[in-house]
Amino acid sequence: MNPKDQFSVLLDLVVELRNSGSWTGETHVQKATYLLQELLGLPTGFEFVLYKHGPFSFELREALERMEAGRLIELEEQRYPYGPKIAEGSASKRFRTSTQPAATFPQKIAFISKELGSAGVADLERIATALFVIRDREIAPSKRIPRLVELKPHVQIDEAEEAFRRLEQISKAATLAGLNPNPLNPT
Amino acid sequence: MTVEANALHEIRDAIHTFVRLETCERAVVNSAPYQRLRDIHQLAMTYLVYPGASHSRFEHCLGVMELASRIFDVVTDQRNLVAEIRSGIHLPETLEHNYWRRVLRMAALCHDLGHLPFSHAAEDTLPTGCTHEDLSLAIIRSPDMVEIWERLKISAEDVGKLAVGSKHYPKPLTDWETLLSEIIIGDAFGADRMDYLLRDSHHAGVSYGRFEHHRLIDTMRILPQKESEQALPTLGIEQGGLQSAESLLWARYFMYTQLYFHPVRRVYDFHLKQFLKEWLSGGKFSTNLKDHLLLTDTEVISAMRLAAGDQSAPGHVPAHRIMHRQHFRRVADITDADREIDPDAAETLASLLSDKFGEEAVFMDRYTQKGKGIRFPVLTRDGGIEWSTVLSATLKRVPTFTVEYVFVDPVYSGPAKNTVTAFREELHKKKGGQE
């Protein structure tokens, strides 16, 4: 995906997340993009690694910086410990009217925003890390929960189990919505 | 009198006065991959614009090791630790502390081993998906280097993960490893950034890159980042160091605008890449370590000089442009104001010029600064923690530097001015229409 299309997806995601009541900080955008790509197969082209709060893309962070520089988004600063909220910038409207996203993108973006809109950073970290673990083919299904807890030692076993269950729910809802999610091979 | 087996050695340094290292660590500096860095210019061909900027990655990496060690000593000093993250830190005078201090120093020393000739300028000529960090990691893991790590009693993997960080290491890093990697290559005030600003500024003969780094390092602290339920240790500063941090981040902005993205410097990078694409086998650098270690700026300059004088040689045209200063000339800077009217202004102008003078006579350069690093936790005077961007109005005003230049072959720089003037008039009309 070229940078302009990436900006278009991210901008639509910011708008939809905010409409869904999400805090819409960088972590929310990171995790929602990860699910869009890895679960719903929207090819954003960002490479994700496991970082401080779960799957994270340095390229996506750079894209957000470029979007801020181009006034497509703006950051609403918050007091510590909360991170800034992301909002549409002064140049976003013109940009959105000049770009035409692929037909299925808006539906997928709206779906994932609705599913994750009420999730806090900790929930997002667990759900996205659960998907990261599932995507690692070297980890047998029976080892996924222990692996999540190993990667994120502050996550309790029951929280890890809940994260996998939630992921399965999202996947089923995506199937019902006709969004053809990538198979999860659930535990 | 005999010298102790592991004596302390001092290397004179233009920035830090002395860089100190132990005898056992000297084996790394003396290794072939590290010695190769003597012949890799830190700033590619910037010396063609700023004659003093001929310093190399060799001294930069020594400087990064020195600064990383100083930062580590300050932030792990028990008197500087906040209660909330104390349990995750290896305290001084423990085996773990000594081990990781050594790993950190060696990772800082080796973080640039994978650089290609002319550093970042040539990075595009690596095969897709490969970066200089991947090469650094491969060198750190190579048998000759592993032998040295074994003598130092440290793990090659630990050195590698701190040297390249989470972005390039194939497995997840622990919170402690992530923190140490931040000390070396962190966006806000990693040792790499501090050293290159000070060193590049010194050698180029500009003052933009200077800042109060002693004060900044003395006020650096490990502080909790609590965006999730977990308090992750991250690098921050005491409030007393905020002005030093502000001056570093502004220094970086000015260095980008005045030095790193000087238009002539950028266009020499462009011609260098043109040359390399023609000169290298298959148009790409080899990722074979043996080939990589044999190639430095010296070999490329020598080949360029020969090619410049031989019309039949691969890369003759770009080599001639570099050697005879016949580089493309900048005909337009696209500004923020231009982009407000037309976000694609640079492409539009480049396309107009290409239609007139041919695609090969036009070069459009675009770059937006990455890793601004203006937001970090600050330990306030009352013992609380607040974001730097909340406390400092100055930091919030550091712009993200974006550059868009359009260059043409010097043969057309005169006639191109008419096209640029007409383009600007059109742009102003558009602005009038929008208003």
Side-chain angles (χ1 to χ4, degrees), chain B residues 317-332:
Chain B
V317 173
H320 187 269
R321 287 195 187 283
I322 292 169
M323 290 297 166
H324 298 275
R325 302 189 73 85
Q326 291 300 307
H327 57 82
F328 279 19
R329 300 306 198 251
R330 175 182 47 161
V331 290

Side-chain angles (χ1 to χ4, degrees), chain B residues 137-156:
Chain B
L137 189 57
I139 294 169
I140 289 166
R141 287 167 163 172
S142 66
D144 287 353
M145 296 305 288
V146 167
E147 209 180 298
I148 298 175
W149 307 134
E150 281 172 359
R151 271 186 271 146
L152 286 166
K153 297 188 170 47
I154 56 178
S155 140

Side-chain angles (χ1 to χ4, degrees), chain B residues 335-366:
Chain B
T335 63
D336 284 345
D338 297 332
R339 280 186 288 274
E340 281 281 306
I341 306 165
D342 176 5
D344 300 322
E347 281 100 337
T348 310
L349 176 59
S351 159
L352 285 171
L353 291 165
S354 295
D355 288 347
K356 240 180 186 156
F357 308 113
E359 258 182 46
E360 68 287 348
V362 180
F363 166 53
M364 188 194 84
D365 189 23
R366 166 182 286 155

Side-chain angles (χ1 to χ4, degrees), chain A residues 52 65 79-80 82-83 94, chain B residues 182 224 340 371 375 386-387:
Chain A
K52 291 179 179 178
E65 284 176 346
R79 301 292 304 268
Y80 180 90
Y82 303 103
R94 196 169 48 207
Chain B
E182 258 183 57
E340 281 281 306
R375 190 167 154 274
E386 189 49 273
W387 295 119

Side-chain angles (χ1 to χ4, degrees), chain A residues 4 51-53 58 62 65-66 69 71 77-84 94 121-122 125-126 154, chain B residues 166-167 182 224-225 227-230 232 234 340 344 368 370-372 375 385-387 389-390 400:
Chain A
K4 220 168 179 174
Y51 195 49
K52 291 179 179 178
H53 297 290
F58 288 92
E62 286 169 13
E65 284 176 346
R66 288 203 301 275
R71 297 179 195 146
E77 285 297 334
Q78 309 293 317
R79 301 292 304 268
Y80 180 90
Y82 303 103
R94 196 169 48 207
V121 171
E125 176 184 4
R126 289 191 289 262
H154 59 286
Chain B
S166 296
K167 187 176 176 182
E182 258 183 57
Q225 191 179 354
E227 282 171 60
S228 174
E229 57 202 8
Q230 183 196 15
L232 295 170
T234 194
E340 281 281 306
D344 300 322
T368 299
K370 296 172 191 167
K372 216 167 149 191
R375 190 167 154 274
I385 297 176
E386 189 49 273
W387 295 119
T389 39
V390 171
T400 300

Side-chain angles (χ1 to χ4, degrees), chain B residues 361-427:
Chain B
V362 180
F363 166 53
M364 188 194 84
D365 189 23
R366 166 182 286 155
Y367 185 87
T368 299
Q369 179 190 353
K370 296 172 191 167
K372 216 167 149 191
I374 59 166
R375 190 167 154 274
F376 46 85
V378 179
L379 184 62
T380 56
R381 292 192 177 93
D382 60 5
I385 297 176
E386 189 49 273
W387 295 119
S388 54
T389 39
V390 171
L391 292 172
S392 167
T394 306
L395 278 183
K396 276 199 293 190
R397 292 198 184 97
V398 179
T400 300
F401 174 65
T402 294
V403 69
E404 281 182 335
Y405 298 129
V406 181
F407 299 87
V408 297
D409 187 317
V411 173
Y412 304 117
S413 59
K417 279 178 188 159
N418 297 330
T419 311
V420 175
T421 306
F423 165 77
R424 289 226 173 269
E425 281 167 5
E426 273 302 306
L427 209 58

Side-chain angles (χ1 to χ4, degrees), chain A residues 76-135:
Chain A
E76 297 170 352
E77 285 297 334
Q78 309 293 317
R79 301 292 304 268
Y80 180 90
Y82 303 103
K85 293 182 177 184
I86 302 174
E88 277 188 275
S90 59
S92 80
K93 280 202 172 62
R94 196 169 48 207
F95 179 82
R96 291 183 81 201
T97 50
S98 70
T99 51
Q100 194 64 48
T104 58
F105 290 3
Q107 206 189 344
K108 289 183 175 179
I109 291 168
F111 171 83
I112 217 71
S113 301
K114 203 173 151 213
E115 288 293 328
L116 302 180
S118 59
V121 171
D123 301 322
L124 290 171
E125 176 184 4
R126 289 191 289 262
I127 294 168
T129 309
L131 183 56
F132 190 90
V133 170
I134 286 174
R135 288 282 167 265

Side-chain angles (χ1 to χ4, degrees), chain A residues 62-74:
Chain A
E62 286 169 13
L64 291 173
E65 284 176 346
R66 288 203 301 275
M67 289 171 74
E68 192 195 354
R71 297 179 195 146
L72 296 178
I73 56 168
E74 59 185 34

